[in-house]
Amino acid sequence: MTTKTQHYHPLHIALHWLMALMIPALFGVGLWMTGLDYYSSWYKTAPDLHKSFGILLAILLVSRLVVMRRFGKPAALSSGWQQKAAGIAHALMYTLLLAIMVSGYLISTADNRGILVFGLFEVPGFGEFFPEQADIAGTVHFYLAWALIVLVVLHAAAALKHHFVDKDNTLKRMLGRRNAAASSIDKTEI
């Protein structure tokens, strides 16, 4: 049940920017923690936080998809190849996020232990589903994370191009700014 609108719902905007902060942060921490040695004070803490924030990111992703389904999203301001490219990039980002989350889960639970999330609850582990699961899933996790970061950079560059070159409202809409014409057309039920 979606409604055509000229701007994003405030929940969609909030979830977008939370995820926009978390994804590069998780990527950076993930790279940093692979270089930690056993004697580092962060050796156990960094992976535990990385896993907890990864679970939080999964919750935000599901929430974002629900919000998008419930409130819809505005029509693209561009057309033709740009609109198709944006659709493919968004689908790839969501797919990569999901695959990264699954591979992270497979790394973390290969030893049959669950994932303790900020000390509040535990996501259960089911052990190894295939031989060398943690190593294989770790390699997949690493390369998928790099692919996601490349797409995120392209996504940000496209948003800046829309703002500074095309001078359209694509970025402004995701910042929550509404122009007078778009606000008067909006039919969204909140």
Side-chain angles (χ1 to χ4, degrees):
M1 184 167 164
T2 60
T3 307
K4 284 297 173 193
T5 179
Q6 298 300 311
H7 61 271
Y8 289 95
H9 189 275
L11 282 173
H12 195 155
I13 294 168
L15 290 167
H16 173 273
W17 290 110
L18 277 171
M19 292 175 71
L21 291 172
M22 288 181 68
I23 290 167
L26 279 167
F27 178 77
V29 168
L31 284 179
W32 169 71
M33 71 184 194
T34 59
L36 295 175
D37 66 15
Y38 181 77
Y39 299 103
S40 169
S41 60
W42 286 97
Y43 184 76
K44 176 148 176 40
T45 306
D48 288 346
L49 286 172
H50 185 79
K51 293 174 198 177
S52 291
F53 278 103
I55 297 293
L56 177 58
L57 184 62
I59 293 166
L60 292 176
L61 176 62
V62 170
S63 300
R64 185 166 176 195
L65 293 172
V66 168
V67 166
M68 195 178 344
R69 174 85 174 135
R70 168 63 180 92
F71 297 107
K73 66 180 198 171
L77 297 176
S78 58
S79 59
W81 72 269
Q82 288 185 59
Q83 187 174 356
K84 288 178 186 174
I88 291 168
H90 281 99
L92 273 173
M93 282 190 286
Y94 288 128
T95 302
L96 284 169
L97 276 169
L98 181 62
I100 289 166
M101 291 167 188
V102 169
S103 62
Y105 174 83
L106 292 175
I107 297 165
S108 301
T109 60
D111 61 0
N112 206 31
R113 285 187 286 176
I115 301 169
L116 187 59
V117 181
F118 299 115
L120 301 172
F121 64 93
E122 185 172 303
V123 176
F126 298 104
E128 263 192 352
F129 293 106
F130 51 89
E132 299 181 38
Q133 175 176 307
D135 291 338
I136 294 168
T139 301
V140 168
H141 193 74
F142 177 81
Y143 288 111
L144 291 178
W146 271 105
L148 178 62
I149 287 301
V150 168
L151 269 177
V152 165
V153 168
L154 289 173
H155 176 70
L160 293 172
K161 177 224 175 243
H162 276 284
H163 188 73
F164 293 109
V165 176
D166 300 341
K167 298 190 185 308
D168 65 24
N169 288 326
T170 300
L171 182 58
K172 289 179 183 176
R173 290 192 305 185
M174 191 47 82
L175 292 169
R177 295 183 185 150
R178 302 178 189 188
N179 65 25
S183 294
S184 65
I185 296 170
D186 184 28
K187 306 271 193 275
T188 303
E189 295 176 22
I190 297 178

mmCIF file of all heavy atoms in Angstrom, residues 44 47-48 51-52 55 104-118 121-127:
data_model
loop_
_atom_site.group_PDB
_atom_site.id
_atom_site.type_symbol
_atom_site.label_atom_id
_atom_site.label_comp_id
_atom_site.label_asym_id
_atom_site.label_seq_id
_atom_site.Cartn_x
_atom_site.Cartn_y
_atom_site.Cartn_z
ATOM 1 N N LYS A 44 39.081 -8.218 21.276
ATOM 2 C CA LYS A 44 37.754 -8.824 21.451
ATOM 3 C C LYS A 44 36.654 -7.779 21.337
ATOM 4 O O LYS A 44 35.590 -8.047 20.772
ATOM 5 C CB LYS A 44 37.670 -9.534 22.799
ATOM 6 C CG LYS A 44 36.280 -10.087 23.076
ATOM 7 C CD LYS A 44 36.279 -11.328 23.882
ATOM 8 C CE LYS A 44 34.905 -11.837 24.243
ATOM 9 N NZ LYS A 44 33.880 -11.759 23.239
ATOM 10 N N PRO A 47 35.527 -6.645 17.405
ATOM 11 C CA PRO A 47 34.631 -7.566 16.694
ATOM 12 C C PRO A 47 33.236 -7.650 17.337
ATOM 13 O O PRO A 47 32.235 -7.737 16.622
ATOM 14 C CB PRO A 47 35.349 -8.917 16.775
ATOM 15 C CG PRO A 47 36.781 -8.563 16.932
ATOM 16 C CD PRO A 47 36.788 -7.305 17.761
ATOM 17 N N ASP A 48 33.180 -7.607 18.660
ATOM 18 C CA ASP A 48 31.870 -7.647 19.326
ATOM 19 C C ASP A 48 31.022 -6.431 18.951
ATOM 20 O O ASP A 48 29.825 -6.556 18.673
ATOM 21 C CB ASP A 48 32.031 -7.723 20.848
ATOM 22 C CG ASP A 48 32.530 -9.080 21.324
ATOM 23 O OD1 ASP A 48 32.497 -10.050 20.528
ATOM 24 O OD2 ASP A 48 32.963 -9.182 22.493
ATOM 25 N N LYS A 51 29.918 -6.711 15.240
ATOM 26 C CA LYS A 51 28.781 -7.633 15.110
ATOM 27 C C LYS A 51 27.494 -6.985 15.604
ATOM 28 O O LYS A 51 26.447 -7.103 14.953
ATOM 29 C CB LYS A 51 29.048 -8.920 15.907
ATOM 30 C CG LYS A 51 30.170 -9.762 15.368
ATOM 31 C CD LYS A 51 30.422 -10.917 16.315
ATOM 32 C CE LYS A 51 31.771 -11.541 16.075
ATOM 33 N NZ LYS A 51 32.067 -12.614 17.037
ATOM 34 N N SER A 52 27.562 -6.312 16.741
ATOM 35 C CA SER A 52 26.370 -5.662 17.291
ATOM 36 C C SER A 52 25.835 -4.589 16.356
ATOM 37 O O SER A 52 24.630 -4.521 16.084
ATOM 38 C CB SER A 52 26.666 -5.052 18.665
ATOM 39 O OG SER A 52 26.880 -6.060 19.626
ATOM 40 N N ILE A 55 24.195 -6.195 13.332
ATOM 41 C CA ILE A 55 22.813 -6.626 13.603
ATOM 42 C C ILE A 55 21.893 -5.408 13.611
ATOM 43 O O ILE A 55 20.784 -5.445 13.056
ATOM 44 C CB ILE A 55 22.720 -7.396 14.940
ATOM 45 C CG1 ILE A 55 23.544 -8.694 14.885
ATOM 46 C CG2 ILE A 55 21.269 -7.669 15.314
ATOM 47 C CD1 ILE A 55 23.033 -9.757 13.946
ATOM 48 N N GLY A 104 28.469 -12.292 7.326
ATOM 49 C CA GLY A 104 28.916 -11.941 8.674
ATOM 50 C C GLY A 104 28.345 -12.881 9.720
ATOM 51 O O GLY A 104 29.039 -13.307 10.653
ATOM 52 N N TYR A 105 27.071 -13.222 9.556
ATOM 53 C CA TYR A 105 26.442 -14.183 10.470
ATOM 54 C C TYR A 105 27.151 -15.530 10.377
ATOM 55 O O TYR A 105 27.435 -16.161 11.396
ATOM 56 C CB TYR A 105 24.948 -14.324 10.132
ATOM 57 C CG TYR A 105 24.270 -15.395 10.943
ATOM 58 C CD1 TYR A 105 23.819 -15.120 12.237
ATOM 59 C CD2 TYR A 105 24.096 -16.674 10.440
ATOM 60 C CE1 TYR A 105 23.212 -16.106 12.997
ATOM 61 C CE2 TYR A 105 23.492 -17.664 11.186
ATOM 62 C CZ TYR A 105 23.052 -17.376 12.467
ATOM 63 O OH TYR A 105 22.456 -18.357 13.221
ATOM 64 N N LEU A 106 27.452 -15.976 9.155
ATOM 65 C CA LEU A 106 28.114 -17.276 8.979
ATOM 66 C C LEU A 106 29.518 -17.291 9.573
ATOM 67 O O LEU A 106 29.963 -18.317 10.096
ATOM 68 C CB LEU A 106 28.159 -17.642 7.488
ATOM 69 C CG LEU A 106 26.803 -17.946 6.846
ATOM 70 C CD1 LEU A 106 26.964 -18.165 5.345
ATOM 71 C CD2 LEU A 106 26.133 -19.135 7.509
ATOM 72 N N ILE A 107 30.216 -16.168 9.513
ATOM 73 C CA ILE A 107 31.543 -16.069 10.146
ATOM 74 C C ILE A 107 31.385 -16.204 11.657
ATOM 75 O O ILE A 107 32.060 -16.995 12.311
ATOM 76 C CB ILE A 107 32.213 -14.706 9.853
ATOM 77 C CG1 ILE A 107 32.484 -14.501 8.384
ATOM 78 C CG2 ILE A 107 33.518 -14.562 10.663
ATOM 79 C CD1 ILE A 107 32.798 -13.051 8.016
ATOM 80 N N SER A 108 30.476 -15.403 12.194
ATOM 81 C CA SER A 108 30.342 -15.254 13.649
ATOM 82 C C SER A 108 29.767 -16.476 14.345
ATOM 83 O O SER A 108 30.025 -16.683 15.530
ATOM 84 C CB SER A 108 29.447 -14.052 13.961
ATOM 85 O OG SER A 108 30.001 -12.893 13.400
ATOM 86 N N THR A 109 28.989 -17.268 13.642
ATOM 87 C CA THR A 109 28.301 -18.380 14.302
ATOM 88 C C THR A 109 28.826 -19.748 13.882
ATOM 89 O O THR A 109 28.256 -20.769 14.265
ATOM 90 C CB THR A 109 26.781 -18.310 14.022
ATOM 91 O OG1 THR A 109 26.570 -18.397 12.608
ATOM 92 C CG2 THR A 109 26.190 -17.030 14.581
ATOM 93 N N ALA A 110 29.901 -19.782 13.116
ATOM 94 C CA ALA A 110 30.446 -21.064 12.647
ATOM 95 C C ALA A 110 30.844 -21.970 13.805
ATOM 96 O O ALA A 110 30.793 -23.190 13.691
ATOM 97 C CB ALA A 110 31.636 -20.830 11.728
ATOM 98 N N ASP A 111 31.211 -21.376 14.937
ATOM 99 C CA ASP A 111 31.616 -22.165 16.109
ATOM 100 C C ASP A 111 30.429 -22.497 17.018
ATOM 101 O O ASP A 111 30.603 -22.926 18.154
ATOM 102 C CB ASP A 111 32.695 -21.434 16.907
ATOM 103 C CG ASP A 111 32.227 -20.097 17.446
ATOM 104 O OD1 ASP A 111 31.061 -19.711 17.209
ATOM 105 O OD2 ASP A 111 33.035 -19.410 18.100
ATOM 106 N N ASN A 112 29.209 -22.289 16.514
ATOM 107 C CA ASN A 112 27.958 -22.611 17.207
ATOM 108 C C ASN A 112 27.598 -21.623 18.313
ATOM 109 O O ASN A 112 26.648 -21.839 19.052
ATOM 110 C CB ASN A 112 27.976 -24.047 17.755
ATOM 111 C CG ASN A 112 26.573 -24.602 17.897
ATOM 112 O OD1 ASN A 112 25.678 -24.247 17.126
ATOM 113 N ND2 ASN A 112 26.367 -25.451 18.874
ATOM 114 N N ARG A 113 28.379 -20.535 18.454
ATOM 115 C CA ARG A 113 28.023 -19.507 19.430
ATOM 116 C C ARG A 113 27.133 -18.478 18.766
ATOM 117 O O ARG A 113 27.278 -18.184 17.589
ATOM 118 C CB ARG A 113 29.280 -18.819 19.971
ATOM 119 C CG ARG A 113 30.041 -19.684 20.968
ATOM 120 C CD ARG A 113 31.161 -18.910 21.603
ATOM 121 N NE ARG A 113 32.239 -18.774 20.594
ATOM 122 C CZ ARG A 113 33.333 -18.088 20.784
ATOM 123 N NH1 ARG A 113 33.528 -17.443 21.907
ATOM 124 N NH2 ARG A 113 34.256 -18.022 19.850
ATOM 125 N N GLY A 114 26.229 -17.907 19.557
ATOM 126 C CA GLY A 114 25.369 -16.851 19.055
ATOM 127 C C GLY A 114 26.099 -15.513 19.041
ATOM 128 O O GLY A 114 27.264 -15.417 19.423
ATOM 129 N N ILE A 115 25.388 -14.497 18.589
ATOM 130 C CA ILE A 115 25.942 -13.136 18.554
ATOM 131 C C ILE A 115 25.243 -12.330 19.627
ATOM 132 O O ILE A 115 24.032 -12.092 19.548
ATOM 133 C CB ILE A 115 25.719 -12.484 17.173
ATOM 134 C CG1 ILE A 115 26.369 -13.315 16.069
ATOM 135 C CG2 ILE A 115 26.254 -11.047 17.172
ATOM 136 C CD1 ILE A 115 25.971 -12.877 14.663
ATOM 137 N N LEU A 116 25.990 -11.927 20.642
ATOM 138 C CA LEU A 116 25.452 -11.093 21.711
ATOM 139 C C LEU A 116 25.430 -9.656 21.212
ATOM 140 O O LEU A 116 26.453 -9.098 20.830
ATOM 141 C CB LEU A 116 26.317 -11.209 22.971
ATOM 142 C CG LEU A 116 25.785 -10.524 24.215
ATOM 143 C CD1 LEU A 116 24.414 -11.080 24.614
ATOM 144 C CD2 LEU A 116 26.763 -10.695 25.361
ATOM 145 N N VAL A 117 24.235 -9.064 21.202
ATOM 146 C CA VAL A 117 24.046 -7.736 20.623
ATOM 147 C C VAL A 117 23.979 -6.702 21.741
ATOM 148 O O VAL A 117 22.985 -6.605 22.455
ATOM 149 C CB VAL A 117 22.770 -7.686 19.752
ATOM 150 C CG1 VAL A 117 22.584 -6.314 19.133
ATOM 151 C CG2 VAL A 117 22.818 -8.768 18.683
ATOM 152 N N PHE A 118 25.057 -5.939 21.890
ATOM 153 C CA PHE A 118 25.185 -4.888 22.904
ATOM 154 C C PHE A 118 24.846 -5.392 24.306
ATOM 155 O O PHE A 118 24.405 -4.628 25.158
ATOM 156 C CB PHE A 118 24.300 -3.683 22.565
ATOM 157 C CG PHE A 118 24.625 -3.020 21.262
ATOM 158 C CD1 PHE A 118 23.711 -3.035 20.224
ATOM 159 C CD2 PHE A 118 25.848 -2.390 21.070
ATOM 160 C CE1 PHE A 118 24.002 -2.414 19.013
ATOM 161 C CE2 PHE A 118 26.146 -1.769 19.865
ATOM 162 C CZ PHE A 118 25.219 -1.790 18.833
ATOM 163 N N PHE A 121 20.569 -8.849 23.911
ATOM 164 C CA PHE A 121 19.947 -10.095 23.456
ATOM 165 C C PHE A 121 20.946 -10.833 22.587
ATOM 166 O O PHE A 121 21.964 -10.277 22.191
ATOM 167 C CB PHE A 121 18.632 -9.840 22.695
ATOM 168 C CG PHE A 121 18.793 -9.070 21.413
ATOM 169 C CD1 PHE A 121 18.947 -9.723 20.196
ATOM 170 C CD2 PHE A 121 18.786 -7.672 21.413
ATOM 171 C CE1 PHE A 121 19.093 -9.006 19.019
ATOM 172 C CE2 PHE A 121 18.932 -6.951 20.238
ATOM 173 C CZ PHE A 121 19.083 -7.630 19.038
ATOM 174 N N GLU A 122 20.639 -12.090 22.321
ATOM 175 C CA GLU A 122 21.553 -12.910 21.536
ATOM 176 C C GLU A 122 20.848 -13.449 20.298
ATOM 177 O O GLU A 122 19.735 -13.965 20.385
ATOM 178 C CB GLU A 122 22.076 -14.073 22.377
ATOM 179 C CG GLU A 122 23.123 -14.901 21.663
ATOM 180 C CD GLU A 122 23.760 -15.934 22.572
ATOM 181 O OE1 GLU A 122 24.302 -15.537 23.621
ATOM 182 O OE2 GLU A 122 23.711 -17.123 22.210
ATOM 183 N N VAL A 123 21.512 -13.314 19.165
ATOM 184 C CA VAL A 123 21.052 -13.945 17.928
ATOM 185 C C VAL A 123 21.674 -15.338 17.936
ATOM 186 O O VAL A 123 22.899 -15.464 18.016
ATOM 187 C CB VAL A 123 21.507 -13.143 16.690
ATOM 188 C CG1 VAL A 123 21.112 -13.869 15.403
ATOM 189 C CG2 VAL A 123 20.934 -11.732 16.721
ATOM 190 N N PRO A 124 20.848 -16.391 17.893
ATOM 191 C CA PRO A 124 21.404 -17.747 18.034
ATOM 192 C C PRO A 124 22.295 -18.146 16.872
ATOM 193 O O PRO A 124 22.115 -17.691 15.735
ATOM 194 C CB PRO A 124 20.156 -18.640 18.087
ATOM 195 C CG PRO A 124 19.059 -17.844 17.492
ATOM 196 C CD PRO A 124 19.403 -16.399 17.705
ATOM 197 N N GLY A 125 23.263 -19.002 17.185
ATOM 198 C CA GLY A 125 24.138 -19.574 16.172
ATOM 199 C C GLY A 125 23.752 -21.019 15.929
ATOM 200 O O GLY A 125 23.265 -21.698 16.839
ATOM 201 N N PHE A 126 23.959 -21.501 14.724
ATOM 202 C CA PHE A 126 23.586 -22.875 14.380
ATOM 203 C C PHE A 126 24.766 -23.702 13.925
ATOM 204 O O PHE A 126 24.599 -24.766 13.349
ATOM 205 C CB PHE A 126 22.480 -22.869 13.320
ATOM 206 C CG PHE A 126 21.220 -22.208 13.791
ATOM 207 C CD1 PHE A 126 20.890 -20.932 13.364
ATOM 208 C CD2 PHE A 126 20.383 -22.839 14.697
ATOM 209 C CE1 PHE A 126 19.742 -20.312 13.812
ATOM 210 C CE2 PHE A 126 19.234 -22.233 15.151
ATOM 211 C CZ PHE A 126 18.904 -20.967 14.701
ATOM 212 N N GLY A 127 25.963 -23.197 14.135
ATOM 213 C CA GLY A 127 27.163 -23.953 13.794
ATOM 214 C C GLY A 127 27.497 -23.913 12.325
ATOM 215 O O GLY A 127 26.971 -23.112 11.559
#
